[in-house]
C-alpha cells in the first residue's frame, strides 16, 4: 500500500514498509518510544489477535433470537442490533448501505445482564465477546500505559484509563437486492 502525501514543500510517498512498527507484546515503554518516533502519525502494531470472523458472521446472520433478546434487554430503548431495514426508516434506495450492526459495550453488557443474564451466556456471543474482551485487555495493559508515557508520564495512566470508552462494534455489509 502506498500513500502520497503532498504539502507545499515536498511530495512524499509512504509505504507500509517505511512506517514504524512494534509488537503488541513489546513492553509498554518500547511501544511509547515507537509512538514518539512516528513522524507520519501512523504506527503499525503487529501480532494482534485474529478476529473470529466466522463466529461474528454467525452471530450477525443466524442468531436472531439472541440479537432480539439483546435489544429487548438493553435499557432506555437503545437498539444495539439493527440492520438497514430496521424500524420505520426502512429504505428501498440502492444508495443506502445494506448492513447489519451489533454495537455493544462493556457497560451495555452489564446492564443487559441485569435484565436477561442468560442471553449474555448464549453460545453465539461467547467467541466474539471473548475476542473483544481480549482486545480491551491488550489496550489497557499495553497501549494506555504507552500513551500515558508519551503525553506526560505514568501519573497520567489512571486519568487516561478512566477516559477510555470501548465499543464492540460488528458490521456485516451485504449486497443490495
Amino acid at each position: 500500500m502506498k500513500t502520497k502525501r503532498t504539502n507545499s514543500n515536498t511530495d512524499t510517498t509512504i509505504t507500509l514498509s517505511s512506517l514504524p512498527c512494534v509488537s503488541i507484546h513489546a513492553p509498554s515503554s518500547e511501544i511509547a518510544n515507537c509512538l514518539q518516533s512516528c513522524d507520519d502519525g501512523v504506527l503499525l502494531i503487529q501480532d494482534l489477535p485474529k478476529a473470529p470472523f466466522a463466529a461474528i458472521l454467525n452471530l450477525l446472520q443466524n442468531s436472531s433470537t439472541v440479537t432480539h433478546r439483546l435489544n429487548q434487554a438493553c435499557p432506555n430503548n437503545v437498539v444495539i442490533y439493527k440492520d438497514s431495514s430496521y424500524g420505520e426508516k426502512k429504505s428501498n434506495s440502492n444508495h443506502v448501505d445494506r448492513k447489519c450492526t451489533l454495537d455493544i459495550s462493556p457497560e451495555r453488557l452489564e446492564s443487559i445482564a441485569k435484565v436477561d443474564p442468560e442471553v449474555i451466556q448464549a453460545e453465539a456471543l461467547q467467541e466474539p465477546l471473548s475476542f473483544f474482551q481480549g482486545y480491551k485487555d491488550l489496550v489497557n495493559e499495553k497501549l494506555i500505559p504507552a500513551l500515558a508515557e508519551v503525553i506526560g508520564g505514568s501519573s497520567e495512566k489512571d486519568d487516561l484509563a478512566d477516559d477510555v470508552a470501548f465499543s464492540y462494534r460488528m458490521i456485516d455489509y451485504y449486497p443490495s437486492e
Side-chain angles (χ1 to χ4, degrees), residues 93-109:
S93 170
N94 286 332
H95 303 291
V96 174
D97 284 341
R98 305 291 183 192
K99 65 183 177 186
C100 53
T101 304
L102 182 62
D103 193 2
I104 53 182
S105 65
E107 295 79 17
R108 286 181 181 164
L109 287 170

Side-chain angles (χ1 to χ4, degrees), residues 15 24 30 96 153 161 169 171 176:
T15 62
I24 191 66
E30 184 178 334
V96 174
R169 180 168 260 207
I171 302 173
S176 299

Side-chain angles (χ1 to χ4, degrees), residues 36-60:
Q36 289 175 322
S37 70
C38 290
D39 295 332
D40 294 309
V42 178
L43 174 64
L44 298 178
I45 300 177
Q46 297 176 321
D47 305 319
L48 293 167
K50 294 192 184 321
F53 289 112
I56 292 169
L57 199 58
N58 179 58
L59 175 61
L60 293 172

Side-chain angles (χ1 to χ4, degrees), residues 52 55-56 59 123-133 168 170:
I56 292 169
L59 175 61
E123 185 178 335
L125 270 176
Q126 296 314 297
E127 194 174 354
L129 288 183
S130 177
F131 167 74
F132 282 110
Q133 183 60 46
Y168 307 155
M170 296 166 255

Side-chain angles (χ1 to χ4, degrees), residues 73 75 104-117 120:
I104 53 182
S105 65
E107 295 79 17
R108 286 181 181 164
L109 287 170
E110 198 173 290
S111 296
I112 290 167
K114 291 176 184 173
V115 175
D116 186 353
I120 301 300

Side-chain angles (χ1 to χ4, degrees), residues 130-152:
S130 177
F131 167 74
F132 282 110
Q133 183 60 46
Y135 257 94
K136 179 182 178 240
D137 294 345
L138 278 172
V139 167
N140 280 328
E141 177 186 332
K142 297 293 187 164
L143 298 181
I144 296 298
L147 288 169
E149 186 176 326
V150 169
I151 64 172

Side-chain angles (χ1 to χ4, degrees), residues 59 62-82 86 102-104 108-126:
L59 175 61
N62 302 316
S63 303
S64 60
T65 301
V66 172
T67 55
H68 177 74
R69 286 176 61 192
L70 288 168
N71 277 347
Q72 293 299 311
C74 201
N76 303 321
N77 295 320
V78 172
V79 178
I80 60 172
Y81 174 81
K82 58 188 168 187
Y86 183 82
L102 182 62
D103 193 2
I104 53 182
R108 286 181 181 164
L109 287 170
E110 198 173 290
S111 296
I112 290 167
K114 291 176 184 173
V115 175
D116 186 353
E118 290 91 27
V119 74
I120 301 300
Q121 300 305 316
E123 185 178 335
L125 270 176
Q126 296 314 297

